[in-house]
Amino acid sequence: MELLQRFKQYIQKENLFQLTDRLLLAVSGGIDSVVLCELCKQAGYHFVIAHCNFQLRGEESDRDEKFVRSLGEKYGVEVLVKRFETEKVALDGKKSIETAARDLRYQWFYEKIGGGRPTTDDRQPIVDDRRPTADDRQPAANFIVTGHHADDNIETVVMNFFRGTGIAGIRGILPKQGKIVRPLLFARRAELEEFVVNNQLQYVTDATNFENDYTRNFFRNQIIPLVKESYPEAEKNVINNIHRFAETEQLYQQAIQQHTKKLLEKKGNEIHIPVLKLLQVKPLHSVFFEIIKQVGFTSHQVEEAIALLQSETGKYIQSATHRIIKNRNWLIITPNQTSEAQNILIEEGDKNIFYKDGNLQIEKYTTTNHQLQNTHLVAQLNAGEIKFPLLLRKWKQGDYFYPLGMDKKKKLSRFFIDQKLSLIQKENVWVIEMDKKIIWVVGMRIDNRFKITDTTKEIISLTLKWQ
């Protein structure tokens, strides 16, 4: 069956897009994107061409841009071109050239179809070769279409296997992900080369494809050929495995969804997970990873996260955006920099409480066998006046207490002025609360209502250890 017919069938089978859709073709000028243009034209699809000039190969980059513009003239379609300061972006963002180019490319593509992808704050300036027009305010297309083919998928799966991306990585590139579609995944590169010859198509060659400086090129030019020396059918076997792994991943995700539905309790912007239930889950490592990777945690942090299940209240780990906090019999996943993330419950019997800025050691003893200490790092309180649970939290505006030695209440904001605290010092003050009463401004002063008296029989001692 000729390539064009298989192309149409694959699009229909995977429900990639319709004849009425307008497509944004990502065109580099190489064989795969040139074949993509020709097939879309022969099949009757409406498209515009988008070309990224990463300005990494000097005159060769400009040659590619000129060639892609000529494709637009050939097919009578609009050509969009963006020039990127890729090396500067990679350097400023501490990224590899490959990663920077990929991020810039897809960021721009999504802009041209009217959004749909989260943006980041680490974007760098890019240079456009033309002035904005009224058309820029309208989406150029409905879908982003790339020329990824079966050989690209083979390379991706092999790379991901060694990279350790898990089952989502070894099932390879999907034919459709949101607004990105890949209608050539069914075809081998050799088939595209044959199509080029039969249709007398012109294309450009990227000289860096033959260099091994980039990871993909190294796998394409070195690793896979070496494997084929021992296993001639290796590429065919990988393609077969891709289909198996895709179905395996579907079953895997169904199981994960069942587990998460039973485990996760949504409370405001927090997720609460009961420790005892989580401990019964098998396989724990895989299920827990699938839960926490959604909030920025990596596979390397799973063991740390699992260790929280047996840790003391207040212990936590964090990603760039979230924290997982152990709070008694719960794990709480919460965004960083929220007041909820800093509320820690202290139950009777707790010995150590860990929190963002320190560690609280809790002891209880009689007045007859312990000497009182005169230090701001130790709060010695009348146990007869204390009722658990206690709450360790950051102070907030409106808080007040009765400073030791005073019978009148004082707002914490005024107390901090008296103590001559800087703005930074104020922001880092924690309090311990009981029944909405502050019993200790941590590391500073206890509340007069909970002081030790002549009739005190038992003492609760809270000792602060700074992180």
Side-chain angles (χ1 to χ4, degrees):
M1 186 185 299
E2 67 174 12
L3 192 66
L4 176 61
Q5 186 63 26
R6 291 169 60 209
F7 177 71
K8 292 178 179 178
Q9 288 183 355
Y10 187 73
I11 291 170
Q12 185 176 12
K13 172 178 171 287
E14 298 294 339
N15 191 27
L16 300 185
F17 44 77
Q18 306 297 322
L19 272 173
T20 54
D21 287 319
R22 186 170 167 83
L23 311 176
L24 181 79
L25 304 193
V27 179
S28 65
I31 285 180
D32 47 2
S33 59
V34 165
V35 170
L36 179 64
C37 286
E38 182 66 21
L39 288 172
C40 284
K41 185 66 175 180
Q42 290 187 22
Y45 290 107
H46 303 283
F47 63 90
V48 297
I49 290 174
H51 176 73
C52 299
N53 186 338
F54 295 110
Q55 303 189 92
L56 295 171
R57 295 177 288 117
E59 293 181 0
E60 194 174 273
S61 292
D62 294 335
R63 177 210 65 184
D64 294 353
E65 178 185 324
K66 183 177 179 181
F67 173 77
V68 172
R69 290 186 185 279
S70 72
L71 286 178
E73 295 176 3
K74 173 184 176 180
Y75 293 116
V77 299
E78 183 182 8
V79 177
L80 308 173
V81 174
K82 180 76 81 172
R83 294 184 178 184
F84 300 94
E85 297 178 359
T86 313
E87 289 185 340
K88 181 179 185 303
V89 171
L91 181 63
D92 293 348
K94 298 180 180 179
K95 302 176 181 178
S96 68
I97 293 291
E98 291 173 286
T99 300
R102 182 179 63 247
D103 291 347
L104 288 169
R105 176 168 62 242
Y106 283 107
Q107 172 189 310
W108 180 52
F109 290 163
Y110 269 96
E111 289 173 358
K112 302 315 292 182
I113 66 168
R117 174 180 168 135
T119 58
T120 59
D121 295 328
D122 60 351
R123 296 189 203 168
Q124 301 298 329
I126 48 185
V127 180
D128 199 339
D129 69 332
R130 63 188 181 87
R131 292 183 179 180
T133 66
D135 291 336
D136 289 330
R137 293 191 293 269
Q138 300 298 325
N142 306 114
F143 292 100
I144 300 163
V145 186
T146 73
H148 292 95
H149 48 76
D151 289 59
D152 292 324
N153 216 358
I154 292 168
E155 294 160 8
T156 297
V157 168
V158 175
M159 289 164 56
N160 285 345
F161 180 82
F162 288 104
R163 186 184 289 133
T165 56
I167 193 168
I170 60 175
R171 59 100 165 99
I173 305 170
L174 294 176
K176 188 173 188 178
Q177 286 180 293
K179 291 292 186 178
I180 302 176
V181 291
R182 304 174 178 98
L184 292 182
L185 280 181
F186 70 92
R188 296 297 304 273
R189 180 178 174 84
E191 296 179 89
L192 305 187
E193 292 172 344
E194 182 182 357
F195 184 83
V196 164
V197 172
N198 292 340
N199 288 268
Q200 299 181 332
L201 301 178
Q202 300 296 315
Y203 62 91
V204 292
T205 301
D206 183 347
T208 62
N209 286 340
F210 303 102
E211 301 172 359
N212 295 324
D213 295 340
Y214 299 120
T215 303
R216 183 173 291 275
N217 290 352
F218 176 67
F219 273 81
R220 176 185 300 155
N221 302 329
Q222 296 288 327
I223 300 300
I224 293 177
L226 282 173
V227 171
K228 287 173 66 178
E229 290 181 9
S230 297
Y231 301 99
E233 297 293 310
E235 291 175 314
K236 181 179 178 181
N237 293 337
V238 172
I239 289 175
N240 290 335
N241 281 335
I242 287 172
H243 298 306
R244 298 188 189 103
F245 289 142
E247 293 183 352
T248 301
E249 194 208 10
Q250 291 178 6
L251 294 173
Y252 176 79
Q253 291 300 337
Q254 288 172 11
I256 293 297
Q257 289 173 13
Q258 290 176 3
H259 280 297
T260 55
K261 187 176 181 179
K262 294 177 182 178
L263 286 170
L264 307 188
E265 296 184 20
K266 185 80 172 173
K267 296 186 178 181
N269 64 349
E270 296 182 348
I271 296 172
H272 292 225
I273 307 173
V275 169
L276 295 179
K277 278 189 179 181
L278 187 57
L279 282 169
Q280 294 172 2
V281 169
K282 294 181 181 180
L284 175 59
H285 190 284
S286 295
V287 173
F288 203 12
F289 172 59
E290 292 297 332
I291 292 172
I292 67 176
K293 79 175 186 179
Q294 306 298 327
V295 288
F297 289 89
T298 68
S299 58
H300 303 295
Q301 293 178 284
V302 177
E303 293 301 330
E304 286 184 87
I306 290 175
L308 288 177
L309 297 173
Q310 307 293 344
S311 70
E312 300 93 341
T313 288
K315 277 279 192 179
Y316 70 92
I317 64 172
Q318 66 183 56
S319 68
T321 59
H322 285 73
R323 285 200 288 168
I324 306 174
I325 305 168
K326 172 68 178 300
N327 195 345
R328 297 296 294 167
N329 295 321
W330 296 84
L331 289 184
I332 300 175
I333 302 176
T334 183
N336 291 332
Q337 308 303 321
T338 66
S339 59
E340 292 90 342
Q342 299 165 343
N343 292 350
I344 298 173
L345 204 63
I346 304 174
E347 297 277 8
E348 189 166 14
D350 286 340
K351 301 296 183 185
N352 283 286
I353 298 294
F354 293 86
Y355 66 108
K356 181 176 180 293
D357 295 328
N359 165 221
L360 286 177
Q361 297 178 354
I362 306 170
E363 298 177 277
K364 188 174 183 180
Y365 45 81
T366 64
T367 55
T368 58
N369 61 7
H370 195 83
Q371 185 175 358
L372 297 182
Q373 299 185 47
N374 184 21
T375 169
H376 292 306
L377 298 181
V378 179
Q380 294 179 310
L381 306 166
N382 185 349
E385 297 293 332
I386 303 298
K387 295 180 182 178
F388 289 90
L390 308 177
L391 183 67
L392 174 65
R393 63 170 175 81
K394 281 287 189 75
W395 83 281
K396 59 181 182 289
Q397 288 292 336
D399 279 344
Y400 68 89
F401 78 132
Y402 291 76
L404 181 64
M406 296 180 60
D407 294 325
K408 292 184 179 180
K409 67 181 181 182
K410 177 175 284 193
K411 283 192 174 182
L412 262 59
S413 55
R414 170 53 61 181
F415 177 72
F416 296 153
I417 293 173
D418 295 343
Q419 298 298 310
K420 299 184 170 142
L421 296 190
S422 67
L423 178 61
I424 298 299
Q425 288 173 318
K426 292 177 186 177
E427 290 176 350
N428 293 320
V429 173
W430 293 71
V431 298
I432 293 182
E433 173 187 300
M434 182 199 79
D435 289 338
K436 302 191 180 302
K437 301 184 185 76
I438 291 175
I439 64 176
W440 186 29
V441 180
V442 178
M444 302 185 70
R445 194 172 301 184
I446 68 170
D447 187 290
N448 195 63
R449 293 169 292 181
F450 303 93
K451 69 182 179 182
I452 296 169
T453 67
D454 293 339
T455 61
T456 298
K457 295 180 179 180
E458 286 189 310
I459 295 173
I460 289 178
S461 177
L462 304 171
T463 302
L464 172 63
K465 303 287 186 181
W466 294 114
Q467 291 277 54

